[in-house]
Amino acid sequence: MKVKRPTWADTSPAMQDYYDHYWGLPVHDERFLFEMLSLELFQAGLTWATIWKRRLAFEEAFSDFLIEKVAAFSPDDVDRLLANKRIIRNRRKIAATINNAQVIYKMQRAGQDFDDYIWSFVDHHPQRLILKPGEPLAPWTMSSKKMATQMKKDGFKFMGPTIVYSFMTAVGLVNARL
């Protein structure tokens, strides 16, 4: 049986694999939630294909997105990342990723679960979005705007409604799969 995919997912074998095995499937693993939040942040101004093909390099550069390790990154780590030609070398995005790890780590140390925090924005149930074939996703929604606003209040950086909505659909908070 042929998998029904949106147009963007049929642009390359990598995007087909991403759609078939990752995109829109509910995620509850905190490390992977942090990874996807970080990759979505790095995507700003770029295509997802550009980011996804560098995923392994990002994982290597950011200590497999282990929250505690990234939260402890130093200015020397920032310099190391800025010199890494295999990732996107944007100082603001790198700093935001480290900051966001620090926010999550602080939450965890206070007994708050990052998975619970993320899923609380959709009452712990994926929101269903029904798109017609060929209909594009909106760049943001009122719920992504609300989530981005709260995340900023909670100390997260580089979290606008478009990045947050892309994250929401990527990790299954919003189910927009065909």
Side-chain angles (χ1 to χ4, degrees):
M1 180 175 142
K2 187 176 184 326
V3 175
K4 188 174 183 180
R5 297 183 191 97
T7 306
W8 65 263
D10 276 330
T11 57
S12 72
M15 289 295 89
Q16 290 171 356
D17 181 65
Y18 173 64
Y19 181 82
D20 293 350
H21 299 106
Y22 297 94
W23 188 78
L25 302 176
V27 174
H28 292 283
D29 175 84
E30 294 200 350
R31 189 215 61 82
F32 191 64
L33 284 168
F34 173 59
E35 176 177 356
M36 292 304 291
L37 185 69
S38 302
L39 293 178
E40 292 293 352
L41 178 159
F42 275 98
Q43 181 196 352
L46 304 168
T47 67
W48 184 248
T50 298
I51 300 304
W52 195 247
K53 74 180 179 185
R54 290 175 170 81
R55 179 180 179 213
L56 294 178
F58 274 108
E59 287 176 345
E60 181 182 301
F62 283 93
S63 300
D64 199 31
F65 289 99
L66 295 171
I67 295 163
E68 184 175 356
K69 285 188 176 189
V70 178
F73 276 14
S74 69
D76 288 341
D77 289 303
V78 173
D79 291 340
R80 172 184 57 81
L81 293 166
L82 287 170
N84 186 336
K85 294 179 181 176
R86 297 175 55 223
I87 65 168
I88 305 304
R89 296 175 296 161
N90 179 300
R91 184 178 295 276
R92 287 184 57 225
K93 292 177 180 182
I94 290 168
T97 300
I98 295 167
N99 171 83
N100 295 345
Q102 292 167 344
V103 170
I104 296 166
Y105 185 59
K106 184 178 177 182
M107 281 180 178
Q108 291 172 332
R109 291 187 44 106
Q112 185 174 11
D113 187 74
F114 182 57
D115 175 59
D116 184 60
Y117 172 82
I118 290 298
W119 281 90
S120 72
F121 289 103
V122 293
D123 294 325
H124 302 279
H125 298 291
Q127 297 176 347
R128 182 73 176 129
L129 175 66
I130 299 174
L131 296 173
K132 296 177 179 116
E135 181 182 0
L137 282 172
W140 61 274
T141 63
M142 289 308 292
S143 43
S144 73
K145 187 174 182 178
K146 180 180 174 184
M147 184 173 171
T149 299
Q150 185 60 52
M151 290 181 81
K152 286 179 189 177
K153 284 181 185 175
D154 294 336
F156 288 89
K157 303 278 187 208
F158 223 99
M159 291 290 112
T162 301
I163 289 170
V164 168
Y165 191 55
S166 188
F167 171 72
M168 291 173 82
T169 57
V171 300
L173 297 174
V174 174
N175 181 350
R177 292 181 64 85
L178 296 178

